[in-house]
């Protein structure tokens, strides 16, 4: 029972559970595509697990698969938010409970429906699961209410309005509300499924001049959901890295305004082509905000680690050494910088050179670049979450360095390789000569992702082994389950320890 | 860590050769399938697209049993060149096009009347060369599908022969017949039934060369080549290779876009590009080493000969 409580009620245990479930889903379903097909692994998986792989339903299966993974990632972000943002204990418990039941229900029954025949009870339960996640989001939005005076900043170094209202809390609130509305765009369209709306993959419609309103709503939905998940993890990482001071005061207004504009822009895609202008403007705000975090955190890492390393007046080389001495804390912001080369930069380049380059290529080549860059963004977010989790569980010493550097180098080698692969025609214009480049990028991508997967397998294997121990590290995590960091406000009601609450949920 | 990085760099440097891999001579493989054959696609309703929309084609038509081969295309080039309907310019075969209607839609390009690229014979990727003013096919590639042909080039071939490029719906009916199958031959796929991304290893061994790309047309017909047992990949109407080998241009010029569409997938693609509803597109002047075509024509019922009995 203690282990159950740890895994399904404590913040650290809940994050572990979600990471483990996503890992299992990724490991199994990863065998159904790419080179795994050529090697015959897909046939083994399908036969062994008794999957139903009707080719005509491929698009639907993929949609359900990434919804189930996305729900778990959203749940992880919710667990982090309810722990690091001041709120009442009962709010945290209720939100976490709903989102947990929701994502697991969506995952189990969504995959059941998609891959093991079409039992429509499963489909209904998949929708129930997603609805519970949505309700958890509504409760989160209420809990985040930035207008509540007890959550006004207590330290003026945090970005705040004149009244003292916490701007970071407002940024979380705006992101949450925007995500709820954006989820609605998917839900409304989904409700028309088999009733005038047909399953499709967005990348297959890129050159259709006559997309329906529902199709545009889905294309907007998938873009903004991923963007908002990225906004959320940026805010979470900011809190983890103790973001405050001048850069925080510049970043938070930009993040709030950027999130509002980018969300509004994406929603308006359904009605107007001008939407893209709003999206570009909003993106500038969000990206500048992230840049402030990068500058702040790198300055702080150099300062703090220089002291730890005994440098009183560090040289440039010593500063660099200090910056890189803790890969787990350097990694997340580095990934945000790296993201510009593999995601944002590619997106901007595609937009600018669409007519001259990408629309000259066959649609299938353009599709690889598009799907490549948003898969990479999703994977970068995953690496940031994993680095934070490694810090949460107290990874230290050489293990911390190996974990951090393999995560950074492995993922970046893979993402850079896939970016080059997806844009191979830019570097080697003739397909007949691309084989060498394709082989190399595939080997490097396999090497990068393979190293990550092996490391994750070892890490999760260790956590599983630890759970079998009576006094494993899980007991410490269960006792001290909240994420330890400096919060933007410190209201009387925001007391995290169970023993500081009476049984009615009030303060002792 | 340093060793791993060094090793990665060596692999990257070694593997990054971008020299075109061109097979100029391979063993000729006789498949027993006649590239001059046509098959009839009867009129009627069928299930179109991934969502099985019921569509009717209310006329019979014929479609080529296989892709147009290198040999057929080379013969056409020589004949058309002699007739003056195409011309050579800077290593390219060029020809006139009357222009496309322009709708002024976002991202649409103007295609005005003028001369356009048909076939870049001097570029690597194709197996037809110009030798002493005659187009000649590389040895062994005679019955492989012609590639590196633009939509303009494919249309010019069809026009010259009195045929046409099949419309998308015609192509889909020829590929699928009247049921809801995913591939032209049924619902399964394997390395022995068509030439696609996952069958390259078997083909490399059999056809020679560093990289086996195209397979002879009609290669997958149930014959055994050495130890390699193929499965018959004919579609319900009897057309070979409607999925895999090389993409096939279709004839439609839709409003609001300048793109032309390609069907069937190719040797570079994963299986989902070979679905009968799979679709690719590119500008009409685009060519690649995995793009070819086949033709269609109206079906004219043969007039029954009367038997006159002399008393």
């Amino acid at each position: 029972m203690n282990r159950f409580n740890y895994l399904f009620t404590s913040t650290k245990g809940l994050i572990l559970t979600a990471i483990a479930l996503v890992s299992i889903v990724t490991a199994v379903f990863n065998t159904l595509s790419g080179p795994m097909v050529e090697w015959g692994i897909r046939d083994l998986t399908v036969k062994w697990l008794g999957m139903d792989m009707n080719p005509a339903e491929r698009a639907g299966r993929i949609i359900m698969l990434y919804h189930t993974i996305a729900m778990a990632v959203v749940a992880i972000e919710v667990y982090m938010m309810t722990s690091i943002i001041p709120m009442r204990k009962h709010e945290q418990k209720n939100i976490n409970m709903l989102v947990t039941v929701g994502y697991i229900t969506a995952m189990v029954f969504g995959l059941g429906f998609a891959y093991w025949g079409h039992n429509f009870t499963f489909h209904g339960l998949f929708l129930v699961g997603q609805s519970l996640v949505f309700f958890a989001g509504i409760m989160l939005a209420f809990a985040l209410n930035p207008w509540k005076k007890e959550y006004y900043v207590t330290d003026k170094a945090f970005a705040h309005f004149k009244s003292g209202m916490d701007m970071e809390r407002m940024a979380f609130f705006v992101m949450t509300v925007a995500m709820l509305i954006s989820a609605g765009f998917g839900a409304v369209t989904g409700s028309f499924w088999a009733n005038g709306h047909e399953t499709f993959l967005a990348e297959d419609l890129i050159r259709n001049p006559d997309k329906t309103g529902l199709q545009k709503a889905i294309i907007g939905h998938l873009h903004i959901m991923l963007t908002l998940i990225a906004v959320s993890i940026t805010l979470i990482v900011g809190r983890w890295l103790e973001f405050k001071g001048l850069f925080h005061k510049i970043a938070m207004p930009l993040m709030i305004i950027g999130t509002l504009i980018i969300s509004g822009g994406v929603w308006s895609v359904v009605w107007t082509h001008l939407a893209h202008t709003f999206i570009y403007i909003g993106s500038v705000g969000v990206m500048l905000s992230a840049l402030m975090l990068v500058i702040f955190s790198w300055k702080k890492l150099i300062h703090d680690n220089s002291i730890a390393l005994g440098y009183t007046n560090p040289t440039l080389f010593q500063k660099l050494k200090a910056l890189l001495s803790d890969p787990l804390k350097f990694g997340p912001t580095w990934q945000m910088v790296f993201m510009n080369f593999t995601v944002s930069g590619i997106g901007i380049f595609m937009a600018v050179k669409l007519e001259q380059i990408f629309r000259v290529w066959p649609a299938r080549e353009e599709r690889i670049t598009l799907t490549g860059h948003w898969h990479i963004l999703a994977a970068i977010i995953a690496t940031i979450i994993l680095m934070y989790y490694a810090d949460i569980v107290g990874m230290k010493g050489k293990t911390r360095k190996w974990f951090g550097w393999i995560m950074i180098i492995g993922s970046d080698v893979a993402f850079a390789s896939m970016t080059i692969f997806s844009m191979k025609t830019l570097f080697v214009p003739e397909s007949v000569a691309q084989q060498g480049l394709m082989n190399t990028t595939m080997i490097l991508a396999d090497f990068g992702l393979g190293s990550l997967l092996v490391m994750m397998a070892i890490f999760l294997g260790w956590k599983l082994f630890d759970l079998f121990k009576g006094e494993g590290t899980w007991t410490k995590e269960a006792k001290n389950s909240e994420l330890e960091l400096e919060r933007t406000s410190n209201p009387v009601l925001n007391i995290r320890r169970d023993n500081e609450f009476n049984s009615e949920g009030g303060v002792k | 860590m340093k060793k791993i990085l060094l090793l990665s760099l060596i692999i990257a440097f070694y593997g990054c050769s971008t020299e075109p891999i061109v097979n100029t001579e391979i063993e000729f493989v006789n498949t027993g399938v006649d590239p001059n054959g046509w098959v009839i696609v009867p009129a009627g309703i069928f299930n179109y697209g991934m969502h099985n929309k019921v569509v009717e084609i209310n006329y019979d038509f014929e479609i080529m049993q296989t892709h147009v081969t290198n040999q057929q295309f080379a013969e056409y080039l020589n004949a058309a060149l002699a007739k003056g309907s195409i011309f050579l310019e800077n290593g390219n075969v060029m020809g006139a096009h009357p222009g496309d209607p322009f709708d002024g839609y976002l991202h649409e390009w103007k295609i005005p009347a003028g001369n356009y690229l048909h076939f870049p014979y001097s570029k690597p990727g194709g197996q037809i060369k110009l030798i002493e003013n005659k187009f000649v096919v590389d040895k062994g590639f005679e019955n492989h599908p012609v590639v590196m042909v633009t939509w303009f080039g494919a249309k010019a071939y069809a026009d010259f022969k009195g045929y046409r490029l099949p419309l998308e719906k015609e192509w889909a009916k020829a590929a699928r017949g009247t049921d809801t199958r995913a591939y032209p031959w049924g619902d399964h796929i394997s390395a022995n039934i068509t030439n696609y991304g996952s069958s390259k290893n078997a083909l490399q061994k059999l056809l020679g060369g560093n990289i086996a790309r195209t397979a002879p047309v009609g290669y997958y017909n149930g014959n055994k080549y050495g130890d390699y047992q193929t499965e018959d990949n004919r579609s319900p109407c009897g057309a070979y290779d409607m999925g895999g080998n090389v993409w096939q241009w279709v004839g439609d010029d839709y409003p609001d876009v300048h793109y032309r569409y390609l069907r069937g997938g190719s040797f570079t693609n994963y299986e989902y590009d070979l679905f009968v509803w799979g679709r690719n597109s590119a500008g009409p002047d685009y060519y690649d080493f995995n793009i070819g075509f086949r033709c269609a024509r109206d079906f004219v019922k043969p007039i029954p000969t009367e038997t006159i009995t002399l008393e």
Side-chain angles (χ1 to χ4, degrees), chain B:
Chain B
M1 185 66 81
K2 280 177 191 165
K3 283 178 186 168
I4 293 170
L5 279 174
L6 190 65
L7 189 65
S8 307
L9 284 173
I10 292 168
I11 293 169
F13 184 74
Y14 177 75
C16 244
S17 159
T18 53
E19 278 297 303
I21 300 162
V22 182
N23 301 329
T24 51
E25 192 172 312
I26 58 166
E27 185 191 340
F28 179 82
V29 178
N30 184 2
T31 64
V33 172
D34 179 10
N36 294 309
W38 292 78
V39 293
I40 301 166
V41 184
I45 56 167
F46 72 106
N47 298 290
Y48 184 63
M50 185 169 77
H51 300 292
N52 297 328
K53 288 201 164 67
V54 177
V55 167
E56 183 178 13
I57 293 179
N58 60 7
Y59 52 88
D60 299 335
F61 66 96
E62 285 185 302
I63 194 162
M64 286 176 69
Q65 187 174 221
T66 69
H67 291 79
V68 171
T69 62
N70 284 314
Q71 186 63 43
Q72 288 171 323
F73 199 73
E75 284 167 8
Y76 148 74
L77 289 177
N78 289 327
L81 201 57
K83 201 178 168 190
S85 61
I86 54 172
F87 62 96
L88 308 181
E89 187 180 279
N90 302 326
N92 297 318
V93 175
M94 307 285 290
H97 177 69
D100 290 352
F102 179 63
D103 306 292
Y105 204 80
L106 189 69
H107 303 308
E108 187 187 5
W109 296 354
K110 275 184 187 165
I111 312 277
N115 292 320
Y116 290 93
L117 174 64
H118 285 196
F119 180 67
Y121 63 86
S122 58
K123 292 255 168 113
Q127 270 84 37
I128 299 176
K129 294 187 175 62
L130 184 69
I131 300 171
E132 293 173 359
N133 278 332
K134 279 274 170 201
F135 284 100
V136 179
V137 181
D138 292 332
K139 206 175 164 210
F141 283 98
E142 293 85 350
N143 63 346
H144 285 237
V146 64
V147 291
M148 304 288 283
V149 184
T150 67
W151 183 88
F152 295 123
K155 186 172 184 305
Y157 174 93
D159 290 346
F160 188 83
K161 295 270 186 180
Y163 311 144
R164 56 186 164 81
L165 292 178
L167 298 173
E168 265 202 294
K169 288 198 171 84
E170 291 175 337
W171 186 95
K173 185 160 195 214
R176 197 181 210 183
T178 53
D179 58 24
T180 56
R181 63 186 61 200
Y183 302 103
W185 51 86
D187 280 323
H188 79 290
I189 188 163
S190 75
N192 294 16
I193 203 160
T194 192
N195 183 18
Y196 76 118
S198 299
S199 51
K200 62 176 183 275
N201 293 337
L203 274 171
Q204 276 175 17
K205 213 172 359 173
L206 277 153
L207 301 181
N210 291 324
I211 303 288
R213 296 192 297 266
T214 53
V217 298
Y219 184 74
Y220 297 88
N221 57 14
N223 280 354
K224 200 170 183 181
Y225 304 94
D227 295 332
Y228 187 49
Q229 177 65 56
T230 62
E231 293 179 66
D232 189 345
N233 76 10
R234 269 179 298 178
S235 72
C237 71
Y240 287 96
D241 306 327
M242 291 297 277
N245 217 4
V246 299
W247 287 101
Q248 300 164 49
W249 287 113
V250 289
D252 310 71
D253 175 18
Y254 293 109
D256 300 337
V257 289
H258 64 280
Y259 303 117
R260 298 299 193 275
Y261 291 87
L262 295 138
R263 294 298 205 114
S266 79
F267 61 87
T268 61
N269 296 105
Y270 284 126
E271 61 193 49
Y272 50 81
D273 286 326
L274 274 62
F275 291 153
V276 287
W277 55 84
R279 197 185 196 206
N280 196 359
S281 66
D285 57 349
Y286 187 80
Y287 57 86
D288 212 337
F289 73 150
N290 61 354
I291 293 180
F293 67 103
R294 74 176 73 207
C295 300
R297 66 185 181 192
D298 297 340
F299 175 62
V300 182
K301 277 186 185 163
I303 301 161
T305 46
E306 285 182 41
T307 310
I308 301 165
T309 313
L310 293 173
E311 288 188 8

Side-chain angles (χ1 to χ4, degrees), chain A residues 383-396:
Chain A
T383 62
I384 293 173
I385 288 173
L386 290 171
M387 281 190 266
Y388 187 14
Y389 182 67
D391 186 65
I392 288 168
V393 297
M395 207 176 265
K396 287 188 173 65

Side-chain angles (χ1 to χ4, degrees), chain A residues 80-92:
Chain A
M80 289 175 169
M81 286 163 65
T82 58
S83 185
I84 66 176
I85 305 169
M87 65 179 64
R88 290 160 200 264
K89 188 75 186 171
H90 72 271
E91 290 174 329
Q92 181 194 24

